[in-house]
Amino acid sequence: MKFFIDTANLSQIREANELGILDGVTTNPSLMAKEGIKGEEAIFNHYKTICEIVDGDISAEVLSTTYAEMVEEGKKLAAIHPNIVVKIPMIKDGVKAIKWFSDNGIKTNCTLIFSAGQAILAAKAGATYISPFIGRIDDSGWNGVQLIEQIARIYAIQGYESEILAASIRNANHIIQCAEAGADVCTCPLDSILGLLKHPLTDIGLAKFIEDSKKM
Ligand code: G3P
């Protein structure tokens, strides 16, 4: 399973990248706004900086919602850097736009996936990645990991090539469950990635080794 970081925060992106396990970055308008990135020039420069830090796929989300506008905006985003993946919402015009980008050799990430039906449509349109929002599904009393399992089964049966990118990750256990459920990629906040490191027996064991090493 590939690891992406789900943030527009440059210091967190650098920290995850320095771990040596990072395969890409996902952003969205909420994450960009959180970093105070405003205006087309600043937005484009920010994506360029992220591409210079991480050698992997970088999702940049369109802000428009009509087919023609999404195609124009996506073309501009894709021109920023060869690693840019155009992130498109799961709406009717979005499906059409994904098909256009697929036909024209531009990678896409279909975002806001909350059902298997949406995942089938995005795969049929040729999305490179599809992003089911695990945490938001759990928040609504449904089961996000079960959706990943269902989509993984359908894609295997049908031979769909879109990669399942588990998004809206809330904790380290989500990452483990998504790996077990067959996600191809997990995009995570830095805290959830670092949460995978933690085990009290590791800390206790290391303290004992350090103590005993003094007797060597
Ligand atoms: O980037 C999309 C997704 O990961 C958002 O997560 O935490 O806002 O539900 P969240």
Side-chain angles (χ1 to χ4, degrees), residues 20-212:
I21 52 89
L22 199 62
D23 301 298
V25 181
T26 52
T27 61
N28 63 38
S30 307
L31 295 170
M32 292 289 277
K34 198 172 158 193
E35 299 307 314
I37 318 295
K38 278 186 193 159
E40 189 176 282
E41 196 184 342
I43 292 169
F44 277 44
N45 284 338
H46 202 74
Y47 287 138
K48 196 161 175 280
T49 306
I50 294 173
C51 291
E52 284 160 2
I53 298 170
V54 179
D55 183 18
D57 283 349
I58 313 297
S59 287
E61 188 158 342
V62 296
L63 306 176
S64 47
T65 52
T66 66
Y67 167 71
E69 287 173 319
M70 280 189 272
V71 167
E72 281 318 301
E73 200 184 339
K75 282 197 282 190
K76 282 195 218 165
L77 289 169
I80 296 172
H81 191 279
N83 289 349
I84 289 285
V85 174
V86 181
K87 201 169 176 188
I88 309 268
M90 171 32 78
I91 55 176
K92 194 173 169 188
D93 278 32
V95 173
K96 286 165 66 178
I98 288 166
K99 176 73 171 104
W100 188 92
F101 287 115
S102 170
D103 289 346
N104 286 275
I106 293 172
K107 287 185 178 183
T108 53
N109 173 359
C110 184
T111 189
L112 293 166
I113 297 273
F114 291 92
S115 75
Q118 293 175 329
I120 290 171
L121 262 187
K124 283 292 289 175
T128 314
Y129 298 103
I130 62 112
S131 292
F133 277 30
I134 303 310
R136 292 191 197 182
I137 292 171
D138 285 2
D139 292 345
S140 322
W142 297 66
N143 189 318
V145 173
Q146 277 178 8
L147 177 63
I148 297 288
E149 286 169 353
Q150 186 184 23
I151 296 170
R153 272 196 307 274
I154 292 169
Y155 279 18
I157 291 166
Q158 299 298 333
Y160 291 144
E161 289 175 1
S162 301
E163 292 189 47
I164 303 167
L165 193 168
S168 184
I169 296 296
R170 299 273 188 262
N171 52 55
N173 199 35
H174 261 162
I175 302 175
I176 298 163
Q177 290 177 307
C178 286
E180 196 174 10
D184 300 290
V185 191
C186 207
T187 189
C188 325
L190 181 61
D191 282 353
S192 302
I193 298 174
L194 297 180
L196 293 172
L197 282 168
K198 290 181 193 162
H199 199 288
L201 289 178
T202 303
D203 299 336
I204 292 166
L206 181 61
K208 178 84 172 111
F209 284 154
I210 290 170
E211 189 191 321
D212 288 346

